[in-house]
Amino acid sequence: MSRKKAARSKGGGSAPSAALPPPAAAAPRSPAPAPELPRNGGATSGRPSLSSSGEFYDLAFKVMLVGDSGVGKTCLLVRFKDGAFLAGSFISTVGIDFRNKVLTVDGVKVKLQIWDTAGQERFRSVTHAYYRDAHALLLLYDVTNKASFDNIQAWLTEIHEYAQQDVVLMLLGNKVDSAQDRVVKREDGEKLAKEYGVPFMETSAKSGLNVELAFTAIAKELKHRSMKLPNEPKFKLHDYVKKEVRGSGCCRF
Ligand SMILES: Nc1nc2c(ncn2[C@@H]2O[C@H](COP(=O)(O)OP(=O)(O)OP(=O)(O)O)[C@@H](O)[C@H]2O)c(=O)[nH]1
Ligand SMILES: [Mg+2]
């Protein structure tokens, strides 16, 4: 399993790095959860745990970024983790990489271990092995690349085959800052998401639009599933995303 980045046609740039945890096993569809991170979702213990970066957290979940090569998975992760954009460079991810971030959700510290997968076909067998331990998947396409949108159906088939049935899934149309190059309309993304019953939002790793929101929404859903309090109303991810996207002023970059 390599964490290195292979330089692609558009030149150099920095990439996230961290010691890569291995998948629990190579065989897909076997429902054995990783002991550290129980299925959707579980506290690691009754007490807070300490992350490798020295931050305490109450709950930990694995989130996987998937989608065609070049849609902006690595940039989305870097934007979320570091608040920066890897401008002008495209260093295609090799295999899989990961970064951790601890969020505070309704007063609870939630650690997201975010796995950044390679979109290139040749690494597909590597990423397959990681699906089954993912608590949530962010599936990306690029609004300036029609093929990446057309491939969403194939990605959903793959997800259906390899991920857990109860995995939290969200569709993201990235690069909305590139308004002049847009070829996939927001309505098309909305329609596809509705067809498959998944929450949807448009994002920009470049401007930061909705990046925090996408991860926060996932963390909220996982936290609510894990810590359902009596008398607490059910958290509805779809409704939350709709409300927050409207509030974020979806089309300002
Ligand atoms: N304009 C714009 N460009 C972006 C955005 N996100 C990523 N890019 C650019 O798109 C290219 C690909 O981004 P990456 O994040 O490396 O793509 P990836 O999905 O990780 O690709 P693989 O690792 O090959 O799967 C880079 O040149 C980025 O600078 C965005 O939101 N807006
Ligand atoms: Mg990448």
Side-chain angles (χ1 to χ4, degrees), residues 23 32 42 48 60-61 70 80 90 108 122 137 140 170 182 189 202 205 212 224 235 237 240 248:
F61 301 102
F80 178 59
F90 180 15
V108 175
R122 65 196 169 111
L137 297 171
L140 279 76
M170 193 185 295
R182 182 197 273 271
E202 290 193 326
E212 189 90 21
H224 277 265
F235 177 73
L237 181 59
Y240 177 78
S248 75

Side-chain angles (χ1 to χ4, degrees), residues 79-152:
R79 164 63 70 185
F80 178 59
K81 172 74 182 161
D82 303 327
F85 177 60
L86 300 174
S89 59
F90 180 15
I91 303 179
S92 201
T93 303
V94 172
I96 191 159
D97 203 344
F98 89 101
R99 302 283 290 268
N100 292 327
K101 183 152 171 165
V102 177
L103 306 179
T104 304
V105 177
D106 308 327
V108 175
K109 295 262 184 205
V110 177
K111 182 180 99 170
L112 297 183
Q113 184 178 89
I114 305 157
W115 295 1
D116 175 22
T117 66
Q120 286 180 51
E121 187 81 39
R122 65 196 169 111
F123 297 114
R124 228 30 77 76
S125 59
V126 173
T127 51
H128 284 168
Y130 285 82
Y131 271 107
R132 74 186 188 89
D133 282 335
H135 300 97
L137 297 171
L138 289 176
L139 173 58
L140 279 76
Y141 67 90
D142 171 356
V143 300
T144 71
N145 177 344
K146 178 75 163 54
S148 74
F149 180 70
D150 293 340
N151 284 336
I152 288 296

Side-chain angles (χ1 to χ4, degrees), residues 74-242:
T74 299
C75 287
L76 196 86
L77 176 53
V78 170
R79 164 63 70 185
F80 178 59
K81 172 74 182 161
D82 303 327
F85 177 60
L86 300 174
S89 59
F90 180 15
I91 303 179
S92 201
T93 303
V94 172
I96 191 159
D97 203 344
F98 89 101
R99 302 283 290 268
N100 292 327
K101 183 152 171 165
V102 177
L103 306 179
T104 304
V105 177
D106 308 327
V108 175
K109 295 262 184 205
V110 177
K111 182 180 99 170
L112 297 183
Q113 184 178 89
I114 305 157
W115 295 1
D116 175 22
T117 66
Q120 286 180 51
E121 187 81 39
R122 65 196 169 111
F123 297 114
R124 228 30 77 76
S125 59
V126 173
T127 51
H128 284 168
Y130 285 82
Y131 271 107
R132 74 186 188 89
D133 282 335
H135 300 97
L137 297 171
L138 289 176
L139 173 58
L140 279 76
Y141 67 90
D142 171 356
V143 300
T144 71
N145 177 344
K146 178 75 163 54
S148 74
F149 180 70
D150 293 340
N151 284 336
I152 288 296
Q153 211 153 346
W155 281 105
L156 287 166
T157 303
E158 179 158 319
I159 288 166
H160 187 70
E161 187 170 346
Y162 292 100
Q164 298 284 345
Q165 269 189 344
D166 63 347
V167 75
V168 177
L169 180 58
M170 193 185 295
L171 180 67
L172 304 180
N174 191 39
K175 305 196 189 178
V176 286
D177 57 277
S178 295
Q180 69 285 6
D181 296 326
R182 182 197 273 271
V183 291
V184 184
K185 289 191 272 198
R186 181 156 53 94
E187 299 76 50
D188 294 337
E190 281 169 350
K191 192 167 159 232
L192 186 70
K194 198 167 176 192
E195 211 172 292
Y196 287 96
V198 294
F200 166 74
M201 64 178 82
E202 290 193 326
T203 57
S204 167
K206 186 171 183 178
S207 74
L209 182 83
N210 289 340
V211 175
E212 189 90 21
L213 175 59
F215 287 97
T216 306
I218 289 289
K220 267 184 179 280
E221 170 70 15
L222 292 169
K223 178 252 165 191
H224 277 265
R225 283 189 185 193
S226 170
M227 297 180 79
K228 177 96 183 60
L229 302 170
N231 305 325
E232 192 182 41
K234 187 171 162 20
F235 177 73
K236 294 193 177 118
L237 181 59
H238 270 93
D239 296 349
Y240 177 78
V241 166
K242 267 192 196 150

